[in-house]
Amino acid sequence: MGVTAMATQEHQTREAAQGSGKGIGAMVGAVFLMATSSIGPGFLTQTSVFTVQMGAALGFAILLSIIVDIAIQLNVWRVLGISGLRANELGNIVLPGLGWFMAALVFIGGLVFNIGNIAGTGLGVNAMLGLDPKIGGGISAAIAVLVFLSKRAGVALDRIVVVLGAIMILLMLYVAIVSQPPVGEALKQTVLPERVDFLTITTLIGGTVGGYITFAGVHRLIDSGNSGLENIKQITSSSVLGIIVIGIMRVLLFLAVLGVVATGVALSEDNTAADAFYQAAGEFGLRAFGLVLFAAGLSSVIGCSYTSVSFVTTQQTSERTRNLLTVSFIVVCAVAYLLMGAAPQMLLIFAGAFNGIILPIGFAVVMWAAWRRPDLLKGYQYPKSLLIIGFVVLLGSVVLGVMSLTKLGALWA
């Protein structure tokens, strides 16, 4: 057998093992992996609480956060996508050892966050079917494990995150319609807000592209073989589409809660999102919220596990090894949840602080490569406008990182 034939056979074998090839399916999967990784239990609670606090003025904060998120993702996906390097691999090239430091932060934060994600799925199953949250969490972890044990794990991963994302969007759309929100007032205050809260804006940004979430989609894109300069158009459009999907979800949730708030109903402080669904659509609304929470938690478990393991492995690591590590990651988190019964608040704050540190470090690596390492971008002339926007946003992410370090300091005080 000739060298070319052997190389072709090796490539086909590797692609078959990965369970996904190039094409629109993998692109859509990467978009939804990034989006659904962001839309977890914390996302639902955060958006609902902010809507109660700020009312229609939250529309402006959502719009501004989406614009900033797009600026971040355009740079991250373009640099990593063209270079074909994961963030940890690029970090080690820019500064030896930096990539592994990033990997440690992502992995530790991911372990704790996944306990919270599994807890969210358990609460979702409880609201949906009345089962004990621990049983619901165990079932959800088992589903996630089966995804990565599948012979074609890549295809299974792409398909399930798309299905879960579609379920969440459709249910949110229904509740947003029946709650009859004041859309005109929301549109007005999206442009001319009565109140601007920059802490809320930075929190929304951190919740959308903080930590591992920034890299989830593009790592999937690289692993599916859709990287390189020849895929620049698809890389660019996918990076923006991921944020648009998140934006649609956040806007629908915002409108659903706003419709209830506008009637003067005081929502529960303990479970604001669930109460908003119940007030808007009665018993069906509560069951729908349970399904949304389950879908949000399960998709976040899958996205967090996949991305955390992608940081502590390389592209030379076999697909089977990566899948087994991912399964082990999920099992450890599930056992921890079942033993603790819930994710301790201090651990979640600790993981959140780690997430805030990851973004400025990872984004700085990306921007340095865009500015000073054209060799890694295969001769691609990086747009100056993206460089300028990227460095401005980097300064903002540093502020988020400092705030996160403050939280870490408070934990040890």
Side-chain angles (χ1 to χ4, degrees):
M1 183 181 291
V3 175
T4 303
M6 290 178 63
T8 301
Q9 185 178 38
E10 182 182 348
H11 173 76
Q12 290 173 342
T13 302
R14 181 163 57 88
E15 197 170 81
Q18 289 175 339
S20 66
K22 298 183 179 182
I24 190 67
M27 287 284 185
V28 173
V31 167
F32 274 85
L33 182 66
M34 182 266 162
T36 55
S37 294
S38 171
I39 305 168
F43 176 100
L44 300 176
T45 302
Q46 186 186 81
T47 306
S48 301
V49 170
F50 285 156
T51 303
V52 172
Q53 292 175 351
M54 297 186 65
L58 183 65
F60 175 77
I62 292 174
L63 176 62
L64 196 57
S65 69
I66 289 173
I67 293 172
V68 174
D69 292 340
I70 288 175
I72 292 173
Q73 290 297 79
L74 273 174
N75 281 288
V76 170
W77 283 53
R78 187 167 298 214
V79 170
L80 298 185
I82 293 175
S83 68
L85 297 169
R86 298 180 189 167
N88 53 315
E89 294 170 333
L90 182 63
N92 282 330
I93 291 174
V94 171
L95 182 64
L98 179 59
W100 294 121
F101 176 68
M102 291 165 59
L105 293 179
V106 170
F107 196 80
I108 294 170
L111 275 170
V112 180
F113 261 120
N114 239 17
I115 298 172
N117 290 331
I118 293 173
T121 64
L123 292 173
V125 171
N126 175 259
M128 185 170 48
L129 302 174
L131 292 177
D132 184 287
K134 286 191 176 183
I135 295 175
I139 292 172
S140 304
I143 294 172
V145 164
L146 288 174
V147 169
F148 290 101
L149 287 181
S150 167
K151 289 184 179 179
R152 302 189 69 198
V155 173
L157 171 63
D158 293 337
R159 288 178 179 173
I160 194 168
V161 294
V162 172
V163 170
L164 292 172
I167 288 172
M168 288 188 281
I169 289 175
L170 289 173
L171 286 174
M172 282 293 185
L173 176 61
Y174 171 77
V175 178
I177 291 172
V178 298
S179 72
Q180 298 181 328
V183 177
E185 180 66 18
L187 287 172
K188 175 186 174 184
Q189 293 213 38
T190 297
V191 181
L192 299 170
E194 293 178 354
R195 176 186 172 191
V196 177
D197 188 335
F198 286 102
L199 181 59
T200 297
I201 295 169
T202 56
T203 303
L204 292 180
I205 293 169
T208 305
V209 292
Y212 73 90
I213 301 168
T214 314
F215 310 102
V218 70
H219 277 201
R220 177 66 198 135
L221 203 70
I222 292 169
D223 287 346
S224 64
N226 287 278
S227 60
L229 194 55
E230 67 274 15
N231 289 305
I232 181 65
K233 289 185 179 180
Q234 293 91 330
I235 292 168
T236 302
S237 59
S238 296
S239 65
V240 176
L241 280 174
I243 298 299
I244 290 175
V245 170
I246 296 172
I248 290 171
M249 184 68 173
R250 199 183 289 277
V251 168
L252 290 176
L253 178 57
F254 160 62
L255 291 175
V257 178
L258 183 64
V260 177
V261 171
T263 64
V265 173
L267 294 175
S268 167
E269 293 183 4
D270 295 330
N271 204 338
T272 306
D275 196 22
F277 273 60
Y278 177 74
Q279 295 292 339
E283 190 67 22
F284 174 80
L286 185 60
R287 304 300 178 192
F289 172 76
L291 182 52
V292 168
L293 183 57
F294 166 75
L298 179 57
S299 59
S300 292
V301 168
I302 292 170
C304 179
S305 303
Y306 174 85
T307 312
S308 297
V309 171
S310 77
F311 264 85
V312 295
T313 58
T314 68
Q315 292 183 64
Q316 283 67 50
T317 306
S318 71
E319 187 72 9
R320 176 178 170 78
T321 300
R322 287 207 300 267
N323 287 340
L324 290 176
L325 286 173
T326 308
V327 167
S328 301
F329 185 91
I330 296 169
V331 170
V332 168
C333 294
V335 170
Y337 163 67
L338 293 174
L339 291 176
M340 291 188 291
Q345 186 67 22
M346 185 162 291
L347 279 179
L348 289 176
I349 294 172
F350 183 77
F354 262 53
N355 254 6
I357 298 170
I358 294 163
L359 178 58
I361 295 175
F363 197 41
V365 167
V366 166
M367 294 314 302
W368 175 262
W371 181 37
R372 304 295 294 176
R373 295 298 303 270
D375 56 311
L376 297 178
L377 301 184
K378 303 167 185 176
Y380 174 69
Q381 294 296 314
Y382 208 82
K384 290 184 179 179
S385 57
L386 269 184
L387 274 177
I388 294 170
I389 292 171
F391 277 110
V392 169
V393 173
L394 175 60
L395 291 175
S397 71
V398 170
V399 173
L400 285 174
V402 171
M403 290 171 62
S404 295
L405 285 173
T406 303
K407 289 181 182 178
L408 276 177
L411 285 178
W412 303 115

